[in-house]
């Protein structure tokens, strides 16, 4: 069993992709733990497997070998249906390109994950309002994505990720598509969520500036975590 | 339905495309509704009026003639109240597009067998006095401005007169009305004695007989008895209810039902491709969005249903609007001004329309829905 403080435990995770007849190793035996309340930055060159690892932690992809435990539960052996339900309950995703529904307003976008819960309409509305307030976007609730700046859209993305109060917040290059100023605002928001709301966050980035905001940084290179990263 | 915004969001994405697709579905169902009414009108004919009548025609086909002498023998059959005959004249008034039927009849018998043709007594008497007299229905009289006293020349296409003359002239002595709303008042009737005397060919023959029967419930038995009477004679007969007869007449033009079915099949096949393409494109464009929904925890099955619901919503909104418009158009009445007296949208058309909408939605939604279901999140979210 994992230590009670280790929210995530990753054991010998390997991942190969098959392209044509060839097996391409992407993760070559990753071991790590993420304690409750951590704000972890995952760095590494492009193509080093950062997104793959994040997706495996979040139950979007399955490892070829190894095991993943989240809050004491082994997740890589769940069925597709169980995994979907598990994601809805435990994981909040933030994407590099925000990935909002273009024809839904900010509040309807944030409402999406709540549709999978048994909450009533008015309860959902309360949660949506709270999430938008935390991300500082209450005044944008009725706006469509195209009416908002990139930074604002990403804050909607974060509101959508935290509205169900997930166990784990996973961010794949959340500032990768933003200018420095907007990116800083997003990083401050993530810091605040970690510090003030106790959210455990894993953030993939290749920007050292971003990783400095995290409490801890791990480097991935050629499918392995490096012990002595070169900075 | 809390997922409605998600379904709606797919349709709203490309508004112009959705509207165009919707419009093509509307047109298809409008055609479907309208042609259903046309088909029904053809099949119903004037059955409603002729429940107590049978029609006796030549066994081989309706264009073969029968002897005039059959009338007395028909009337002797048990259960027959009265018989009268008609013959297709098929003439042209001024130009071929001025179509209305003309038929020689024996006036006294005629009114007894077809009482739905209402002629004032004075005009009836005038007709009995005038050998070249003719009566015409209200609709045709109004259409061509015929008035009593007019001399109406009809160009024969079948029946030449003695001396080779092809123009027949009739003196209009009466204008009849219909007893029922759907009584056909487009026809012109003239006297058989004048016709038989003046024609060159086939003297003593008639086109078909109508017979009033005493008990409509016995019509099948009586029809059998009539055909039995003429069995093994040179001109055998086929007796059927008036409705069946009118249908057979319409089939001279072609099998209307089959033609309409062919048109609708073509229309719906096209629509299937149009809507199917729209749905396929709509889902392909939204690969990433579907990936996001799955990342948020939407199950594969739920995604399948959402895409299917989107296709069904498209086909049902188009279908309901289309059928609604056809219903509005149809309720304005017979578009031919009299040829299709029973023109309405039959209730079974709504039922099969509903099934069509369901089938269209399912057929066009299934493949994209299946693809959306099979999509893995990691694949869907990978860029470039
Ligand atoms: N679904 C896939 N099929 C084939 N190869 C993949 C797939 N996903 C990722 N890869 C490959 O795995 C490697 C790591 O990808 P990724 O985890 O996205 O890297 P990073 O996020 O660090 O840039 C890359 O070489 C990529 O091409
Ligand atoms: Mg990546």
């Amino acid at each position: 069993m994992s230590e009670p403080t280790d929210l995530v435990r990753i054991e010998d995770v390997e991942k190969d992709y098959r392209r044509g007849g060839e097996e391409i190793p992407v993760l070559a035996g990753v071991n790590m733990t993420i304690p409750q309340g951590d704000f972890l930055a995952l760095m590494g060159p492009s193509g080093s497997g950062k997104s793959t690892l994040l997706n495996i932690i979040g139950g979007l992809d399955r490892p070829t070998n190894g095991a993943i435990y989240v809050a004491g539960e082994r997740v890589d052996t769940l069925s597709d249906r169980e995994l979907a339900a598990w994601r809805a309950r435990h994981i909040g995703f933030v994407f590099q390109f925000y990935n909002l529904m273009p024809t839904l307003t900010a509040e309807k976008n944030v409402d999406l994950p709540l549709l999978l819960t048994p909450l009533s309409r008015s309860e959902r509305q309360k949660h949506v309002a709270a999430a938008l307030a935390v991300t500082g976007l209450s005044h944008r609730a009725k706006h469509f994505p195209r009416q908002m700046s990139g930074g604002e859209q990403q804050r909607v993305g974060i509101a959508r990720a935290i509205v169900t109060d997930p166990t784990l917040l996973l961010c794949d290059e959340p500032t990768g598509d933003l200018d420095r100023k907007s990116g800083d605002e997003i990083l401050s928001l993530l810091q605040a969520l970690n510090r003030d709301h106790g959210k455990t966050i894993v953030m993939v980035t290749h920007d050292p500036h971003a990783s400095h905001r995290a409490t801890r940084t791990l480097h991935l290179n050629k499918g392995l975590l490096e012990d002595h990263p070169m900075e | 339905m809390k997922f409605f915004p998600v379904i709606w969001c797919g349709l709203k994405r490309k508004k112009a495309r959705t509207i165009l697709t919707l419009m093509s579905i509307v047109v298809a169902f409008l055609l479907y509704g309208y042609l259903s009414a046309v088909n029904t009108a053809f099949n119903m004919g004037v059955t409603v009026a002729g429940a107590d009548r049978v029609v006796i025609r030549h066994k081989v086909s309706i264009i073969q003639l029968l002897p005039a002498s059959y009338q007395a023998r028909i009337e002797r059959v048990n259960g027959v109240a009265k018989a009268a005959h008609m013959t297709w004249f098929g003439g042209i008034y001024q130009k071929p597009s001025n179509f209305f039927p003309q038929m020689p009849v024996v006036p006294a018998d005629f009114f007894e067998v077809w009482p739905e043709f209402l002629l004032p007594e004075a005009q009836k008497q005038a007709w009995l006095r005038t050998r070249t007299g003719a009566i015409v229905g209200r609709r045709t009289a109004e259409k061509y401005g015929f008035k009593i006293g007019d001399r109406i020349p009809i160009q024969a296409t079948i029946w030449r007169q003695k001396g080779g003359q092809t123009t027949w002239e009739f003196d209009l002595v009466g204008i009849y009305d219909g007893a029922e709303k759907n009584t056909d008042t487009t026809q012109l009737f003239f006297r058989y004695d004048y016709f038989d005397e003046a024609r060159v060919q086939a003297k003593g023959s008639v086109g078909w007989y109508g017979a009033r029967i005493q008990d409509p419930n016995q019509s099948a038995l009586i029809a059998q008895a009539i055909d039995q009477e003429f069995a093994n004679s040179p001109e055998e007969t086929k007796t059927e209810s008036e409705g069946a007869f009118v249908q057979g007449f319409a089939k001279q033009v072609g099998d209307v039902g089959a033609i309409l079915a062919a048109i609708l099949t073509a229309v719906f096949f096209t629509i299937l491709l149009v809507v199917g393409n729209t749905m396929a494109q709509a889902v392909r464009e939204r690969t990433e969005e579907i990936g996001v929904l799955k990342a948020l925890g939407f199950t594969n099955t739920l995604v399948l249903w959402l895409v299917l619901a989107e296709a069904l919503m498209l086909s049902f909104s188009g279908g309901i609007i289309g059928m609604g418009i056809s219903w509005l158009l149809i309720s304005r009445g017979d578009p031919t001004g009299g040829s299709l007296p029973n023109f309405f949208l039959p209730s079974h058309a709504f039922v099969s329309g509903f099934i069509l909408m369901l089938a269209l939605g399912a057929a066009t939604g299934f493949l994209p829905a299946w693809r959306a279901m099979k999509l893995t999140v990691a694949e869907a979210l990978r860029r470039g």
Side-chain angles (χ1 to χ4, degrees):
Chain A
M1 284 302 292
S2 58
E3 297 281 309
T5 51
D6 285 347
L7 187 62
V8 180
R9 193 152 54 91
I10 292 168
E11 290 178 353
D12 301 321
V13 161
E14 293 174 15
K15 177 71 181 176
D16 304 327
Y17 279 116
R18 200 180 295 272
R19 199 180 284 149
E22 242 182 310
E23 295 248 313
I24 303 164
V26 177
L27 298 177
V30 173
N31 284 285
M32 65 190 261
T33 56
I34 304 169
Q36 173 83 46
D38 202 5
F39 183 178
L40 172 67
L42 207 51
M43 288 193 72
S46 182
S48 57
K50 304 183 297 293
S51 295
T52 303
L53 182 56
L54 196 74
N55 288 345
I56 286 176
I57 296 173
L60 295 184
D61 210 345
R62 293 170 191 279
T64 314
N65 283 306
I68 296 105
Y69 298 88
V70 176
E73 186 182 8
R74 181 159 180 184
V75 297
D76 56 293
T77 50
L78 296 176
S79 72
D80 279 356
R81 172 173 285 276
E82 289 167 334
L83 206 53
W86 177 83
R87 280 198 300 270
R89 204 167 56 244
H90 292 290
I91 303 293
F93 271 102
V94 176
F95 307 95
Q96 178 177 357
F97 300 101
Y98 335 127
N99 284 18
L100 304 176
M101 303 286 150
T103 53
L104 296 181
T105 59
E107 62 180 1
K108 287 285 174 212
N109 266 288
V110 177
D111 192 31
L112 282 176
L114 294 178
L115 296 178
L116 302 171
T117 67
L119 294 177
S120 74
R121 192 187 174 81
S122 62
E123 286 170 320
R124 281 181 3 235
Q125 268 166 353
K126 264 183 233 152
H127 282 80
V128 168
L132 285 171
V134 168
T135 54
L137 269 186
S138 300
H139 62 298
R140 292 298 226 167
K142 306 276 184 210
H143 288 79
F144 288 95
R146 72 186 127 75
Q147 299 168 318
M148 290 184 266
S149 71
E152 285 171 323
Q153 289 186 56
Q154 191 58 299
R155 283 198 261 166
V156 177
I158 293 171
R160 179 178 65 187
I162 60 169
V163 73
T164 52
D165 194 21
T167 314
L168 199 53
L169 194 56
L170 304 178
C171 313
D172 196 345
E173 315 233 14
T175 61
D177 198 46
L178 296 174
D179 59 56
R180 173 54 57 92
K181 184 172 168 294
S182 311
D184 278 341
E185 285 168 9
I186 292 299
L187 291 167
S188 301
L189 177 57
L190 291 177
Q191 266 187 313
L193 286 170
N194 173 247
R195 194 182 53 229
D196 306 336
H197 299 264
K199 285 271 152 249
T200 309
I201 302 175
V202 182
M203 174 176 72
V204 162
T205 181
H206 57 243
D207 177 9
H209 181 80
S211 71
H212 288 315
R213 301 289 203 103
T215 51
R216 196 158 68 99
T217 301
L218 286 174
H219 289 261
L220 200 60
N221 201 359
K222 299 203 175 88
L224 287 167
L225 286 172
E226 289 187 334
D227 295 332
H228 303 292
M230 304 184 296
E231 290 220 7
Chain B
M1 178 62 180
K2 60 182 175 179
F3 289 107
F4 183 79
V6 186
I7 299 164
W8 192 233
C9 135
L11 294 171
K12 249 175 67 182
R13 200 165 195 272
K14 289 265 163 73
K15 278 202 194 78
R17 184 179 61 200
T18 300
I19 289 171
L20 287 176
T21 308
L22 195 70
M23 268 164 45
S24 49
I25 300 174
V26 167
V27 170
F29 277 90
L30 199 161
L31 261 174
Y32 169 75
Y34 205 80
L35 294 184
S36 298
V38 170
N39 193 25
T40 310
F42 263 93
N43 283 322
M44 299 264 298
V46 289
T47 35
V48 205
D52 63 345
R53 263 195 312 254
V54 294
V55 177
I56 301 115
R57 65 161 172 90
H58 196 285
K59 189 176 182 181
V60 175
S61 96
I62 187 170
I63 59 170
Q64 307 296 92
L65 302 172
L66 293 172
S69 59
Y70 277 16
Q71 174 154 357
R73 289 171 68 185
I74 292 168
E75 285 175 342
R76 272 203 303 275
V77 172
N78 245 341
V80 174
K82 180 72 195 164
H85 58 76
M86 287 191 185
T87 308
W88 186 255
F89 186 72
I92 293 164
Y93 173 66
Q94 290 177 343
K95 55 178 197 275
S97 58
N98 289 345
F99 175 77
F100 57 87
Q102 310 98 25
M103 254 94 68
V105 298
V106 176
D109 300 346
F110 168 76
F111 286 114
E112 249 189 271
V113 173
W114 288 281
E116 67 264 38
F117 299 113
L118 304 177
L119 191 68
E121 190 52 37
Q123 294 178 17
K124 213 178 269 183
Q125 292 306 322
W127 197 17
L128 292 172
R129 280 195 309 271
T130 317
R131 202 175 146 75
T132 55
I135 61 169
V136 75
R138 178 78 57 196
R139 192 180 285 277
T140 294
E142 279 169 2
K143 188 164 172 191
Y144 300 101
F146 295 152
K147 278 178 288 298
I148 290 173
D150 282 357
R151 186 146 250 257
I152 302 171
I154 304 284
Q155 202 67 34
T157 57
I158 308 169
W159 305 104
R160 272 180 301 113
Q161 293 197 53
K162 283 184 228 160
Q165 211 178 317
T166 55
T167 305
W168 295 64
E169 295 200 322
F170 303 110
D171 294 302
L172 193 63
V173 295
I175 291 171
Y176 66 85
D177 287 293
E180 309 274 340
K181 190 163 161 272
N182 59 12
T183 304
D184 184 1
T185 61
T186 64
Q187 308 167 88
L188 180 145
F189 298 106
F190 58 99
R191 279 174 55 162
Y192 179 77
D193 51 356
Y194 169 49
F195 170 67
D196 198 45
E197 221 283 310
R199 66 176 158 173
V200 189
Q201 327 109 276
K203 278 182 189 294
S205 65
V206 303
W208 62 90
Y209 289 91
R212 280 258 310 283
I213 52 180
Q214 276 146 2
D215 179 3
N217 295 324
Q218 301 292 315
S219 63
L221 281 175
I222 297 168
Q224 233 173 20
I226 295 172
D227 290 343
Q228 193 58 44
E229 168 73 21
F230 302 108
N232 304 318
S233 72
E235 273 87 30
E236 294 193 61
T237 60
K238 180 169 158 65
T239 303
E240 53 200 357
S241 72
E242 195 166 85
F245 175 77
V246 169
Q247 244 184 69
F249 214 97
K251 279 191 177 133
Q252 293 286 106
V253 189
D255 188 340
V256 178
I259 294 171
L260 299 184
I263 296 174
L264 286 174
T265 307
V267 167
F268 275 92
F269 184 71
T270 312
I271 281 303
L272 203 66
L273 297 183
V274 169
V275 183
N277 182 52
T278 298
M279 282 306 301
Q281 242 174 297
V283 168
R284 206 173 311 125
E285 288 164 2
R286 274 183 290 151
T287 300
E288 257 184 77
E289 289 176 30
I290 290 164
V292 171
L293 289 180
K294 290 190 177 184
L296 297 179
F298 282 57
T299 60
N300 291 335
T301 329
L302 179 55
V303 168
L304 174 106
W305 279 113
L306 289 176
V307 175
L308 214 49
E310 189 178 318
L312 285 169
M313 195 147 99
L314 197 61
S315 75
F316 269 90
S317 28
I320 288 168
I321 296 171
M323 297 274 303
I325 296 175
S326 76
W327 181 76
L328 279 178
L329 288 178
I330 289 162
S331 58
R332 287 172 49 197
D334 178 6
T336 62
S339 303
L340 298 172
N342 293 297
F343 195 69
F344 63 93
L345 193 54
S347 53
H348 69 77
F350 285 106
V351 177
S352 32
F354 183 85
I355 293 168
L356 261 176
M357 292 174 213
L358 201 67
L360 181 68
T364 55
F366 183 75
L367 222 60
W370 185 260
R371 284 187 43 177
M373 186 185 92
K374 286 286 165 195
L375 204 64
T376 67
V377 198
E379 296 278 333
L381 291 178
R382 261 166 64 84
R383 285 228 170 192

